[in-house]
Amino acid sequence: MIRYKFFLLTFYFILPIFHGYAQGKQHTVQVLSSEISILGTTNVNQFSCTLNESGDNEALRVSSNWDQKRLTFNGLILSYDLKGFDCGLKVMNTDFQEILHADEYPEMKLEIRIIHIPASNNQIAILEVNSDVSVQIAGVSRRFLVNEGRVINIAEDELIFEGQQQMKITDFGITPPEKYFGMVKVNDELTVSFSVRMKVETL
């Protein structure tokens, strides 16, 4: 089960989804679902491991203030059970867990800190954005600027935030493993992509 820790959530942009929400009012924010995928390669093939999670239906009460530059999140942390990822085959699931040291560090975490709204955006339903996120794997946290992101207005009170970032296994203190006496070698590069669906309600 995915767990969400939210201490304070502050919005800094009047997205179309927030029309009708007065500035300075408190809102209830509920994470409806999320999906995270980790894509990697070896010298002989590639792998893609995905986890889909539904929210725990616990409404989140937050304060919000907006401007035209960014959405700032303080404490938006999503935790994922590495043993819940599906890589397509059981043996690949086991290898994936070994690569990321799941026995010692059973969870990876994604913290969404800031979503930056470029001034060049002129879309309504879909905004191309940059975001400041942290990823924690094997107990090591690294901060990244994600340049490939979108905020999608899917309903009057719902949005999806998507992002994708390339990183390295060695960023997290993990040595890319070798198997079968060195015949199969995991490459250092990984791509992490995520999609988080949220509902916003005025208190």
Side-chain angles (χ1 to χ4, degrees), residues 81-121:
D81 183 355
L82 289 173
K83 294 185 178 180
F85 279 78
D86 183 8
C87 305
L89 295 172
K90 186 175 181 179
V91 64
M92 293 181 66
N93 293 347
T94 301
D95 288 346
F96 171 78
Q97 294 164 24
E98 289 179 358
I99 291 170
L100 300 186
H101 299 180
D103 285 342
E104 186 175 0
Y105 303 98
E107 294 180 337
M108 72 169 292
K109 296 183 180 182
L110 170 68
E111 179 177 3
I112 303 170
R113 295 172 175 268
I114 303 171
I115 299 175
H116 300 277
I117 313 296
S120 59
N121 259 306

Side-chain angles (χ1 to χ4, degrees), residues 3 15 61-62 66 74 93 96 98 119 122 131 153 163 176 193:
R3 300 194 301 276
L15 293 171
R61 296 183 179 182
V62 297
W66 312 326
N74 183 12
N93 293 347
F96 171 78
E98 289 179 358
N122 55 13
S131 57
N153 180 22
S193 62

Side-chain angles (χ1 to χ4, degrees), residues 95 98-99 169 174-179 184-187:
D95 288 346
E98 289 179 358
I99 291 170
I169 298 175
I174 298 174
T175 301
E178 300 180 0
K179 299 195 70 173
V184 178
K185 299 179 181 180
V186 175
N187 294 323

Side-chain angles (χ1 to χ4, degrees), residues 15 115 125-129 149-153 159-162:
L15 293 171
I115 299 175
I126 300 176
L127 294 175
E128 303 295 332
V129 300
R150 301 194 304 173
V151 172
I152 305 170
N153 180 22
L159 63 83
I160 293 176
F161 170 51
E162 298 179 343

Side-chain angles (χ1 to χ4, degrees), residues 27-38:
H27 307 302
T28 295
V29 176
Q30 180 182 5
V31 174
L32 301 177
S33 62
S34 69
E35 176 179 304
I36 188 163
S37 297
I38 299 179

Side-chain angles (χ1 to χ4, degrees), residues 6 9 11 17-18 21 25-32 57-64 66 157-159 198-203:
F6 294 79
L9 172 59
F11 290 101
I17 192 172
F18 296 122
Y21 296 139
K25 277 195 173 183
Q26 285 190 325
H27 307 302
T28 295
V29 176
Q30 180 182 5
V31 174
L32 301 177
N57 296 318
E58 181 181 350
L60 304 169
R61 296 183 179 182
V62 297
S63 299
S64 61
W66 312 326
D157 60 350
E158 291 184 19
L159 63 83
M198 292 180 281
K199 183 177 182 179
V200 183
E201 298 176 355
T202 302
L203 293 177

